[in-house]
Amino acid sequence: MACFRVGDARIDFVARTIEREGESHSLEPKVMSVLTILVERCGQVVSRDTLVEAIWSVRFGGDERLSRAISLLRTALGDSGGKQGVIKTIPKEGYSLVAEVEPISPATGPSYGDPSEPSVYVPAPPNSVAVLPFDDMSRQGDRRYLGDGIAEEIINGLAQIEGAHVTGRVSSFAVRDAGMDTTQISRKLGVAFVMEGSVRLQADQLRVTAQLVSAEDGFHRWSREFNGQPSDLFAFYDEVAAEVVSAFADMMGLQVNMPVESGKALTRDTDAYQLFLEGRNATHQQDGKHTLPKAIALLGEAVERDPEFAQAWAFLSIAHFFMLEYSSTPEWRHHLAEGRKAAEHAFRLSPHEPVTAVPRFFVAAHDVRFDRHCELAQTLFDRAPNSPMTHYYLAVVLIACGLMKEGLGHLEQVLRSEPLSIAGQSLVSTARFTLGETEQSEEPYLRAFDLGILPSGITAIWLLVERGETAEAEALLHARYHELAPLFANLFGVIGSRFLIIKAVVHGKEWARTILASSMRRRMEKGLIQPNAGALIMPVILARPKLFMDACRKVSATYLPGALAQIWADTRNARLVREHDEFPQFASEIGLVEVWKRRGWPDGIDPANFVI
């Protein structure tokens, strides 16, 4: 049920609206989440700590956000702090919903808002399924890549079923260690079925069990055990994936569009394929200190065994480019060169395969050519318009170019199948921030920071500052400074002290900004700055638009589009970039003007001011 009557107000949790006495209030997702929990526990006292932890899960500023949310809800519900006829404050405890609550209409479909927030249950599409990573039951517990590999092959196969709703790899794998049962997982991912299983490797025997579980009642709808030889992994993976896909399609009465891709189509070498599976798995973990170096070694060995292995070259390139964002390394020049080289190999071997296009996006970012970036994204999308990946990369370049509404349309499609994607949520947060929706905009960046993307940490701090929460921003910077220190050292050298950073970033002191900007420019001119998004975001934070444009030209980053998207916000620092005398020439140099000529001009940009 998605609609309720609370007192004399009508609540639509899908549309996030409250209607009362002819007026309609549209509220932010987190604010509606507060009301969701109060409705679900109507008449009970819900503590402030419970609400903050369930909805925000932040280290700082939770109490202030909750107080603001309660105030907004009371206004929309016609309540007040003095009257408290709907939401009653329980001193030193929390809140209680005391008004009468009545469900008034069924939901008409799933909600695709913030996937991390609690929500009133909305039935999932009947043909929807998530495939969890298969458990590694090997004695040593060191073959997780085999379980991950078979799950990924099944996901790819299920995606070929016309009419099926298949949760993507990122979101399905995100719940691996969450300790949730099937019902909780299905609700988190918005699916009617969950596919789970296990892999056991003993001597020369490989055993896979797979079962399809109904979220409605927790019962198995289908199960099967497979036995094969690790020496013939191609045939074994084909057998498992094909049978699972066929069984699900038959159960749902749907049609498979094309056969499941065979490992034999990827490489002719079984050992190279196993190296690829392990290397791909390590790349997905994105740990710059541990798993990415391991991925590079494994994938390098795979392409040595089979130099025609296009996907191995593609993931090798991705791993090298990821090292620039996920790790501070003195070997960054090597990773940049090897990433480019591997990208060229992958594209030469398989120019029409979607995965080989991904490293070409990174190459385009480091070349700072958004016209090529957009052309590549559009070509890929035209080939696979139903793929979440193609929607995502087109959204990335559109938002970077300031075309927020068009980009958000594609992101909505991404989050339908990847509701837990940190990259997707961060991009949504950036786009909505530029459109004026600032509440909790830093949270996806904090989650990305926790995964090891250092520039996301400084972005989160800046978003808090822009929202006026300087105390929370300073507390966050103090608490996570040791993690951010390598980023600051890369940009400013020994001069980047905690004191200067706080004065410049949090308090906006011009003298501190000048010192840091001068140091960064000297290091940039000497070629000492490792390319990453932090090198592009920091000049905007320091209110140095010329330094930002020069950094784009001379440093660049794998995640350049995400950094460029920050200049479209309605903030003073972002406007300094857009209104700078050199911005029209800069926009022309990096291909923005060509994109705008083809796709339309961003709000607030006058074509007459730009070099055409």
Side-chain angles (χ1 to χ4, degrees), residues 544-580:
R544 295 299 187 271
K546 180 70 163 62
L547 182 61
F548 166 77
M549 290 182 280
D550 288 344
C552 287
R553 294 173 175 123
K554 297 180 180 182
V555 179
S556 191
T558 301
Y559 292 161
L560 169 67
L564 189 67
Q566 306 294 336
I567 73 168
W568 300 105
D570 187 21
T571 64
R572 175 183 177 275
N573 289 17
R575 287 193 297 272
L576 285 175
V577 176
R578 301 196 304 270
E579 296 170 2
H580 194 275

Coordinates of all heavy atoms in Angstrom, one line a residue, residues 544-580:
R544 N 38.8 29.1 -7.5 CA 39.9 29.4 -8.5 C 39.5 28.9 -9.8 O 39.9 27.8 -10.2 CB 41.2 28.9 -8.0 CG 41.8 29.5 -6.7 CD 42.0 31.0 -6.9 NE 42.7 31.6 -5.7 CZ 42.0 32.1 -4.7 NH1 40.7 32.0 -4.6 NH2 42.7 32.7 -3.7
P545 N 38.6 29.6 -10.6 CA 38.1 29.0 -11.9 C 39.2 28.8 -12.9 O 39.2 27.9 -13.6 CB 37.1 30.1 -12.3 CG 37.5 31.3 -11.6 CD 38.0 30.9 -10.2
K546 N 40.2 29.7 -12.9 CA 41.3 29.6 -13.9 C 42.1 28.3 -13.6 O 42.5 27.6 -14.5 CB 42.2 30.8 -13.9 CG 43.4 30.8 -14.9 CD 42.9 30.9 -16.3 CE 44.0 31.2 -17.2 NZ 45.1 30.2 -17.3
L547 N 42.4 28.1 -12.3 CA 43.1 26.9 -11.9 C 42.3 25.6 -12.3 O 42.9 24.6 -12.7 CB 43.4 26.9 -10.4 CG 44.2 25.8 -9.8 CD1 45.5 25.7 -10.4 CD2 44.3 25.9 -8.3
F548 N 41.0 25.7 -12.1 CA 40.2 24.5 -12.5 C 40.3 24.2 -14.0 O 40.5 23.1 -14.4 CB 38.7 24.8 -12.2 CG 37.7 23.9 -12.8 CD1 37.5 22.6 -12.3 CD2 37.0 24.2 -14.0 CE1 36.7 21.7 -13.0 CE2 36.2 23.4 -14.6 CZ 36.0 22.1 -14.1
M549 N 40.2 25.2 -14.8 CA 40.3 25.0 -16.3 C 41.7 24.5 -16.7 O 41.8 23.6 -17.5 CB 39.9 26.3 -17.0 CG 38.4 26.6 -16.9 SD 37.9 28.1 -17.8 CE 38.4 29.4 -16.7
D550 N 42.7 25.1 -16.1 CA 44.1 24.6 -16.4 C 44.3 23.2 -15.9 O 45.0 22.4 -16.5 CB 45.1 25.5 -15.7 CG 45.1 26.9 -16.4 OD1 44.6 27.0 -17.6 OD2 45.7 27.8 -15.8
A551 N 43.7 22.8 -14.7 CA 43.8 21.5 -14.2 C 43.2 20.5 -15.1 O 43.7 19.4 -15.4 CB 43.3 21.4 -12.8
C552 N 42.0 20.8 -15.7 CA 41.3 20.0 -16.7 C 42.2 19.7 -17.9 O 42.3 18.6 -18.4 CB 40.0 20.6 -17.1 SG 38.7 20.5 -15.9
R553 N 42.9 20.8 -18.3 CA 43.8 20.7 -19.5 C 45.0 19.9 -19.2 O 45.5 19.1 -20.1 CB 44.2 22.1 -20.0 CG 43.0 22.9 -20.5 CD 43.6 24.3 -20.8 NE 42.6 25.2 -21.4 CZ 42.2 26.4 -20.9 NH1 42.7 26.8 -19.7 NH2 41.3 27.1 -21.5
K554 N 45.6 20.1 -18.0 CA 47.0 19.5 -17.8 C 47.0 18.3 -16.9 O 48.0 17.5 -16.9 CB 47.8 20.6 -17.1 CG 48.1 21.8 -18.0 CD 48.9 22.8 -17.3 CE 49.2 24.1 -18.2 NZ 50.0 25.1 -17.6
V555 N 46.0 18.1 -16.1 CA 45.9 16.9 -15.2 C 44.9 15.9 -15.6 O 45.1 14.7 -15.8 CB 45.7 17.4 -13.7 CG1 45.7 16.2 -12.8 CG2 46.8 18.4 -13.3
S556 N 43.7 16.4 -15.7 CA 42.5 15.5 -16.1 C 42.3 14.4 -15.0 O 42.9 14.5 -14.0 CB 42.7 15.0 -17.5 OG 41.4 14.4 -17.9
A557 N 41.4 13.5 -15.4 CA 41.1 12.4 -14.4 C 40.2 11.4 -15.1 O 39.5 11.7 -16.0 CB 40.3 13.0 -13.2
T558 N 40.3 10.1 -14.6 CA 39.4 9.1 -15.0 C 38.0 9.5 -14.8 O 37.1 9.2 -15.7 CB 39.7 7.8 -14.3 OG1 41.1 7.4 -14.5 CG2 38.8 6.6 -14.7
Y559 N 37.7 10.1 -13.7 CA 36.3 10.6 -13.4 C 36.1 12.0 -13.7 O 35.4 12.7 -12.9 CB 36.0 10.3 -11.9 CG 35.9 8.8 -11.5 CD1 36.1 8.3 -10.2 CD2 35.7 7.8 -12.5 CE1 36.0 7.0 -9.9 CE2 35.6 6.5 -12.2 CZ 35.8 6.1 -10.9 OH 35.7 4.7 -10.6
L560 N 36.7 12.5 -14.7 CA 36.5 13.9 -15.2 C 35.1 14.3 -15.3 O 34.7 15.4 -14.8 CB 37.3 14.1 -16.5 CG 37.0 15.5 -17.2 CD1 37.5 16.6 -16.4 CD2 37.5 15.4 -18.6
P561 N 34.2 13.5 -15.9 CA 32.8 14.0 -16.0 C 32.2 14.3 -14.7 O 31.4 15.3 -14.5 CB 32.1 12.8 -16.7 CG 33.2 12.1 -17.5 CD 34.4 12.2 -16.6
G562 N 32.4 13.4 -13.6 CA 31.8 13.7 -12.3 C 32.3 15.0 -11.7 O 31.6 15.7 -11.1
A563 N 33.6 15.3 -12.0 CA 34.2 16.6 -11.5 C 33.6 17.8 -12.2 O 33.2 18.8 -11.6 CB 35.7 16.5 -11.6
L564 N 33.5 17.6 -13.5 CA 32.9 18.8 -14.3 C 31.5 19.0 -14.0 O 31.0 20.2 -14.0 CB 33.1 18.5 -15.8 CG 32.8 19.6 -16.7 CD1 33.8 20.7 -16.6 CD2 32.7 19.2 -18.2
A565 N 30.8 18.0 -13.6 CA 29.3 18.2 -13.2 C 29.2 19.2 -12.1 O 28.1 19.8 -12.0 CB 28.7 16.9 -12.9
Q566 N 30.2 19.3 -11.2 CA 30.1 20.2 -10.1 C 30.0 21.7 -10.4 O 29.5 22.5 -9.7 CB 31.3 20.0 -9.2 CG 31.6 18.6 -8.7 CD 30.5 18.0 -7.8 OE1 29.8 18.8 -7.1 NE2 30.4 16.7 -7.8
I567 N 30.4 22.0 -11.7 CA 30.4 23.5 -12.0 C 29.0 24.0 -12.4 O 28.8 25.2 -12.6 CB 31.4 23.8 -13.1 CG1 30.8 23.3 -14.5 CG2 32.8 23.2 -12.8 CD1 31.6 23.8 -15.7
W568 N 28.0 23.1 -12.4 CA 26.7 23.5 -12.9 C 25.8 23.8 -11.7 O 24.6 24.1 -11.9 CB 26.0 22.4 -13.8 CG 26.9 22.2 -15.0 CD1 27.7 21.1 -15.2 CD2 27.0 23.0 -16.1 NE1 28.3 21.2 -16.4 CE2 27.9 22.4 -17.0 CE3 26.5 24.3 -16.4 CZ2 28.3 23.0 -18.2 CZ3 26.8 24.9 -17.6 CH2 27.7 24.2 -18.5
A569 N 26.3 23.7 -10.5 CA 25.5 24.0 -9.3 C 25.2 25.5 -9.2 O 25.9 26.3 -9.7 CB 26.2 23.5 -8.0
D570 N 24.1 25.8 -8.5 CA 23.7 27.2 -8.3 C 24.4 27.7 -7.0 O 23.8 28.1 -6.1 CB 22.2 27.4 -8.2 CG 21.8 28.8 -8.2 OD1 22.6 29.7 -8.6 OD2 20.7 29.1 -7.6
T571 N 25.8 27.7 -7.1 CA 26.6 28.2 -6.0 C 27.6 29.2 -6.5 O 27.9 29.3 -7.7 CB 27.3 27.1 -5.3 OG1 28.3 26.5 -6.2 CG2 26.4 25.9 -4.8
R572 N 28.1 30.0 -5.6 CA 29.0 31.1 -6.0 C 30.2 30.5 -6.7 O 30.6 31.0 -7.7 CB 29.4 31.9 -4.7 CG 30.5 33.0 -5.0 CD 30.9 33.7 -3.8 NE 32.0 34.6 -4.1 CZ 33.3 34.3 -4.2 NH1 33.7 33.0 -4.0 NH2 34.2 35.2 -4.5
N573 N 30.8 29.5 -6.1 CA 32.1 28.9 -6.6 C 31.8 28.3 -8.0 O 32.7 28.5 -8.9 CB 32.6 27.8 -5.7 CG 33.2 28.4 -4.4 OD1 32.9 29.6 -4.1 ND2 34.0 27.7 -3.7
A574 N 30.7 27.7 -8.2 CA 30.4 27.1 -9.5 C 30.1 28.2 -10.6 O 30.6 28.1 -11.7 CB 29.2 26.2 -9.4
R575 N 29.4 29.3 -10.1 CA 29.2 30.4 -11.1 C 30.5 31.1 -11.5 O 30.6 31.6 -12.6 CB 28.2 31.4 -10.4 CG 26.8 30.9 -10.4 CD 25.8 32.0 -10.0 NE 26.1 32.6 -8.7 CZ 25.6 32.1 -7.6 NH1 24.7 31.1 -7.6 NH2 25.9 32.7 -6.4
L576 N 31.5 31.1 -10.6 CA 32.7 31.7 -10.9 C 33.4 31.1 -12.1 O 34.0 31.7 -13.0 CB 33.7 31.7 -9.7 CG 33.4 32.6 -8.6 CD1 34.4 32.3 -7.4 CD2 33.6 34.1 -9.0
V577 N 33.2 29.7 -12.2 CA 33.7 29.0 -13.4 C 32.9 29.4 -14.6 O 33.5 29.8 -15.7 CB 33.7 27.5 -13.2 CG1 34.2 26.8 -14.4 CG2 34.6 27.1 -12.0
R578 N 31.6 29.3 -14.5 CA 30.8 29.5 -15.7 C 30.8 30.9 -16.2 O 30.6 31.2 -17.4 CB 29.3 29.1 -15.4 CG 29.1 27.7 -15.0 CD 27.7 27.3 -15.0 NE 26.8 28.1 -14.3 CZ 26.4 27.9 -13.0 NH1 27.0 26.9 -12.3 NH2 25.6 28.8 -12.4
E579 N 31.1 31.9 -15.3 CA 31.0 33.3 -15.7 C 32.4 33.8 -16.0 O 32.6 35.0 -16.3 CB 30.4 34.1 -14.6 CG 28.9 33.7 -14.4 CD 28.3 34.4 -13.2 OE1 29.0 35.1 -12.5 OE2 27.1 34.1 -12.9
H580 N 33.5 33.0 -15.9 CA 34.8 33.4 -16.1 C 35.0 33.8 -17.6 O 34.4 33.1 -18.5 CB 35.8 32.3 -15.7 CG 37.2 32.8 -15.6 ND1 38.1 32.8 -16.7 CD2 38.0 33.2 -14.6 CE1 39.3 33.3 -16.4 NE2 39.2 33.5 -15.1

